[in-house]
Amino acid sequence: MNENSPNLTRRLVGSLWVNWAIAFGAIALELLLPRLISKAWLPLPVFALAYAELVYMRTQQARESLSCTAMLKVSTLTLFWSALIMLIINILNSEMLFDNLINWSNSNKEIPYITCLVVFPTMIITALWVMAGGYIQNRQDPYGSQAEIREGNGVVSTLFSRESRYQVQLMLYVALGFSGVEWWYYFKYYFNVNLNTPDVFFFNWMPIAFYFLSLFFIWSRYQNMAAIIGPIAENALHNGIAVRYLVISGDRMLLAINEYDRWDTPAITRLGTLSQINDQTVRDAFGRISGCENFGMRFLYDTGFDKTVPEVKHYAVFLDKEEYPAESALDSWFSLDQIDRFIKAARLSAELADEIYRIFTITMAWKTYDRQGRRLYPIKHYRPTFRLRDLKDWDVDYSDLSWMSIAENNQDRPFFHTRRLWRKITGLKA
């Protein structure tokens, strides 16, 4: 077994627990802050906490090709909106501005904020928003960003996607449970005179105690998950790295029906470990499985559950004629228009659909905009040509996912500058 396998497994699984600890820990800290800071100034440190967590989330997304940040997104949004709600309450409760307009006679301004009454209902909304928005934006990874292509199609990637869903759903259930308990206690037993010992227990210490219990529960869960991922990672290293070839001749691509009754490339193989693979071994492997002798080849990009250990290497192969010695009766050459119809009819494999979407989107962004998203040509909504035969000559790096963001936010999109400023400040899509 490669010595990097257990270290990689511990790091990936450990990152899941750390993200949960930080996300839920930030919420627990917000529940504790009213005991330390007056309600007039409370929104400010909560805003700061939200920004700090946002910076951490952006760092995780930039450093890891596969990271479970959906829970961090829920926590960040919860902190931001709960702080904004508390700020609005402070403004409405201001004697200078609204004292003569709104009757606050029943309020007790000396009692600290009961933040749980705001935080948990807000968390319900943000968790539902992240879940619903994820499903709408990206059917293949409902908790990822639309601009982030799935980094691998293996079991490990699937486990991370499901774990992301599990964390958000768990936090939703926690928020639902505590919202019910806290509001029930508030209406049933709370008196707006002071905060007695049972009040402090229900409003502050009980959620915080649950947070520490969840750390042990989640840690145990991920220790069991490590026992699953470890053999998978080891097996992947022993089985070698998958190599997918997109076989192109002119403006047509060779496809074949796979075992799942979907059209896919017929040229797929497995090679040795990463240290044993280079362009020549990949080229020789294609010659063996295809029977072709004269062909051009271009590396496209890697995908995998970790940037240092790719699961799949993607290449494009260019033939002078539509002659493929290994072609079977089920193989056929298709134009881009026909492939587009297959995509709309869900007749392509998920792997091939990912490849075509990534290549097309990055190419069109590269041919239309600069690195800042500004037009290369003074023509609004200019659409350059896209031909398969030109793929071998395009000087663009398909491993650079920043082009996906440019395709999504550019000078031809409404509020371009506002979107850029928002993304620069928050790291989130506007």
Side-chain angles (χ1 to χ4, degrees):
M1 176 178 177
N2 189 306
E3 64 179 2
N4 290 328
S5 179
N7 294 332
L8 175 61
T9 301
R10 285 193 295 269
R11 181 164 59 83
L12 291 178
V13 174
S15 70
L16 294 171
W17 182 83
V18 169
N19 285 351
W20 172 271
I22 291 176
F24 199 178
I27 300 298
L29 182 57
E30 183 180 8
L31 300 178
L32 184 62
L33 283 176
R35 311 297 303 173
L36 308 173
I37 301 174
S38 67
K39 63 172 62 178
W41 297 101
L42 183 59
L44 296 181
V46 177
F47 276 126
L49 189 61
Y51 183 75
E53 189 172 6
L54 177 63
V55 171
Y56 172 78
M57 182 175 66
R58 292 177 63 181
T59 303
Q60 285 290 99
Q61 292 172 337
R63 187 175 59 187
E64 301 288 350
S65 62
L66 186 64
S67 57
C68 188
T69 59
M71 181 60 206
L72 293 170
K73 184 181 294 184
V74 172
S75 178
T76 302
L77 291 173
T78 299
L79 292 171
F80 173 80
W81 287 110
S82 61
L84 185 61
I85 291 171
M86 290 187 290
L87 179 62
I88 293 173
I89 293 174
N90 278 346
I91 294 174
L92 294 178
N93 206 14
S94 169
E95 294 182 3
M96 182 182 300
L97 298 176
F98 291 100
D99 191 58
N100 294 327
L101 297 178
I102 301 176
N103 181 15
W104 293 100
S105 59
N106 292 327
S107 67
N108 188 339
K109 298 182 180 181
E110 301 302 321
I111 296 177
Y113 255 123
I114 306 177
T115 51
C116 61
L117 300 180
V118 176
V119 170
F120 290 119
T122 304
M123 189 185 298
I124 294 173
I125 297 173
T126 57
L128 290 173
W129 183 85
V130 169
M131 293 169 65
Y135 278 116
I136 292 172
Q137 291 174 3
N138 193 341
R139 61 179 175 84
Q140 292 170 338
D141 185 3
Y143 295 90
S145 168
Q146 189 177 13
E148 295 173 359
I149 298 301
R150 180 177 53 189
E151 293 293 332
N153 304 307
V155 177
V156 176
S157 301
T158 303
L159 283 173
F160 265 74
S161 179
R162 291 181 178 178
E163 190 57 29
S164 186
R165 183 187 306 116
Y166 171 81
Q167 285 196 351
V168 175
Q169 290 176 344
L170 179 59
M171 186 49 68
L172 174 62
Y173 298 147
V174 169
L176 285 169
F178 273 112
S179 292
V181 170
E182 303 293 0
W183 279 100
W184 166 80
Y185 181 86
Y186 178 81
F187 286 115
K188 185 73 173 178
Y189 297 106
Y190 176 70
F191 295 97
N192 194 31
V193 177
N194 60 7
L195 286 175
N196 56 36
T197 301
D199 296 338
V200 174
F201 171 77
F202 269 89
F203 294 145
N204 298 109
W205 301 124
M206 185 174 68
I208 294 174
F210 182 86
Y211 162 67
F212 286 105
L213 288 175
S214 75
L215 294 181
F216 289 102
F217 169 75
I218 295 296
W219 178 258
S220 300
R221 174 183 174 85
Y222 292 152
Q223 288 301 301
N224 294 331
M225 184 176 291
I228 298 174
I229 294 180
I232 293 174
E234 180 182 0
N235 186 60
L237 290 171
H238 282 304
N239 289 341
I241 296 173
V243 181
R244 292 174 53 85
Y245 305 90
L246 299 183
V247 185
I248 298 170
S249 179
D251 286 319
R252 290 157 69 88
M253 183 182 297
L254 181 67
L255 303 180
I257 293 290
N258 64 14
E259 58 182 320
Y260 304 107
D261 196 31
R262 294 289 188 271
W263 289 102
D264 197 2
T265 176
I268 305 173
T269 188
R270 278 193 175 273
L271 299 179
T273 61
L274 186 62
S275 61
Q276 299 172 333
I277 296 177
N278 53 50
D279 287 344
Q280 187 59 47
T281 58
V282 172
R283 183 180 181 86
D284 293 342
F286 179 78
R288 289 194 301 270
I289 65 175
S290 68
C292 296
E293 296 181 356
N294 299 317
F295 56 88
M297 189 179 70
R298 172 183 176 168
F299 169 73
L300 298 175
Y301 58 92
D302 294 331
T303 53
F305 59 86
D306 183 82
K307 290 180 179 178
T308 60
V309 185
E311 293 182 36
V312 186
K313 297 182 77 68
H314 304 261
Y315 283 80
V317 173
F318 306 95
L319 304 181
D320 293 333
K321 300 179 181 179
E322 294 181 2
E323 296 178 356
Y324 190 72
E327 184 176 348
S328 70
L330 297 178
D331 299 352
S332 187
W333 294 88
F334 295 95
S335 65
L336 271 177
D337 181 64
Q338 293 171 308
I339 293 173
D340 182 59
R341 295 176 189 175
F342 286 152
I343 293 175
K344 293 176 180 177
R347 294 288 295 141
L348 286 190
S349 70
E351 293 81 3
L352 183 59
D354 281 351
E355 290 169 330
I356 293 174
Y357 175 73
R358 181 169 184 158
I359 293 169
F360 177 81
T361 304
I362 290 179
T363 300
M364 297 299 279
W366 169 73
K367 295 182 72 174
T368 310
Y369 309 102
D370 63 15
R371 283 287 185 177
Q372 285 70 46
R374 299 185 179 90
R375 301 187 195 99
L376 295 176
Y377 308 98
I379 305 173
K380 192 173 183 179
H381 298 296
Y382 170 70
R383 297 288 291 176
T385 58
F386 181 90
R387 299 186 301 183
L388 286 175
R389 70 177 64 187
D390 297 329
L391 178 57
K392 61 179 179 294
D393 300 319
W394 287 327
D395 185 21
V396 57
D397 181 7
Y398 291 101
S399 300
D400 185 359
L401 291 182
S402 64
W403 289 110
M404 303 296 294
S405 299
I406 295 171
E408 186 177 278
N409 185 40
N410 51 67
Q411 200 171 359
D412 288 324
R413 295 288 302 276
F415 309 108
F416 166 59
H417 296 290
T418 304
R419 289 170 180 268
R420 282 191 64 206
L421 179 61
W422 175 261
R423 185 185 287 268
K424 184 177 294 185
I425 295 174
T426 66
L428 301 175
K429 293 185 296 182

